[in-house]
């Protein structure tokens, strides 16, 4: 799959692929409960900066990944009021981190294993992901559930 990196339109759809707010807190009401609590004069939830993360899935080769990371970084530097991250295929974590250096785009991995080490061929642990400078990791993605049989329990362990 080739990306036309000269066109701004390739960056914006990639950034809007997945929009998440990741800083949920245990014990803090959310959804309807949060609205009811705030409406009743109770404690309001902390204001959070939205995180817009683009999941590159199994797309790009190394050169395309680095070029796309640079293009996303240039566009993200113009955005305010939102944090931005890219979740890239694991072989590209280090080169994409290097391409993002000096910008405001965070780096994410696309999956992890819940064990820190062991005989899990092809799996990567959160400590491995963190050691290469990744800020985020996707866990419990619907494609992992549908294509690889990941369960709620698996997602919770991750």
């Amino acid at each position: 799959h080739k990306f036309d990196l000269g066109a701004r339109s390739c960056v914006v759809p990639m950034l809007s692929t997945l929009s998440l707010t990741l800083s949920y807190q245990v014990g803090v009401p959310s959804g309807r409960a949060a609205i009811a609590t705030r409406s009743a004069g109770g404690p309001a939830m902390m204001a959070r900066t939205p995180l817009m993360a683009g999941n590159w899935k199994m797309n790009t080769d190394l050169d395309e990944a680095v070029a796309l990371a640079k293009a996303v970084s240039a566009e993200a530097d113009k955005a305010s009021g939102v944090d931005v991250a890219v979740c890239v295929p694991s072989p590209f974590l280090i080169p994409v981190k290097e391409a993002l250096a000096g910008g405001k785009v965070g780096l994410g991995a696309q999956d992890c294993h819940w064990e820190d080490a062991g005989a899990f061929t092809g799996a990567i642990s959160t400590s491995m992901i963190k050691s290469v400078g990744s800020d985020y990791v996707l866990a419990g993605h619907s494609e992992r559930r549908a294509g690889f049989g990941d369960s709620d329990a698996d997602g919770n362990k991750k």
Side-chain angles (χ1 to χ4, degrees):
H1 183 89
K2 300 291 181 192
F3 294 94
D4 178 8
L5 298 175
R8 180 179 173 167
S9 61
C10 105
V11 176
V12 176
M14 190 285 305
L15 286 175
S16 63
T17 300
L18 178 64
S19 181
L20 299 172
T21 304
L22 296 178
S23 57
Y24 294 104
Q25 296 180 332
V26 175
V28 176
S30 62
R32 292 178 195 258
I35 294 168
T37 302
R38 286 192 302 268
S39 298
M45 290 179 55
M46 294 185 310
R48 297 179 288 198
T49 303
L51 171 63
M52 185 178 294
N55 178 8
W56 294 5
K57 303 180 185 277
M58 196 173 72
N59 294 300
T60 73
D61 62 22
L62 178 57
D63 292 338
E64 292 169 337
V66 169
L68 184 55
K70 289 177 180 179
V72 170
S73 184
E75 291 300 313
D77 286 343
K78 301 173 192 174
S80 61
V82 64
D83 291 333
V84 178
V86 292
C87 296
V88 305
S90 58
F92 307 144
L93 285 168
I94 293 173
V96 167
K97 180 73 172 181
E98 292 168 354
L100 297 174
K104 70 177 211 173
V105 177
L107 179 67
Q110 295 178 335
D111 193 35
C112 65
H113 196 280
W114 56 82
E115 295 288 345
D116 198 42
F120 305 102
T121 302
I124 55 176
S125 68
T126 55
S127 62
M128 294 166 83
I129 293 166
K130 185 175 181 181
S131 75
V132 297
S134 183
D135 307 298
Y136 306 97
V137 62
L138 292 176
H141 195 285
S142 62
E143 291 169 0
R144 294 288 313 173
R145 293 167 183 270
F148 296 92
D150 285 10
S151 66
D152 286 345
D154 294 335
N156 289 336
K157 287 189 270 185
K158 293 176 182 187

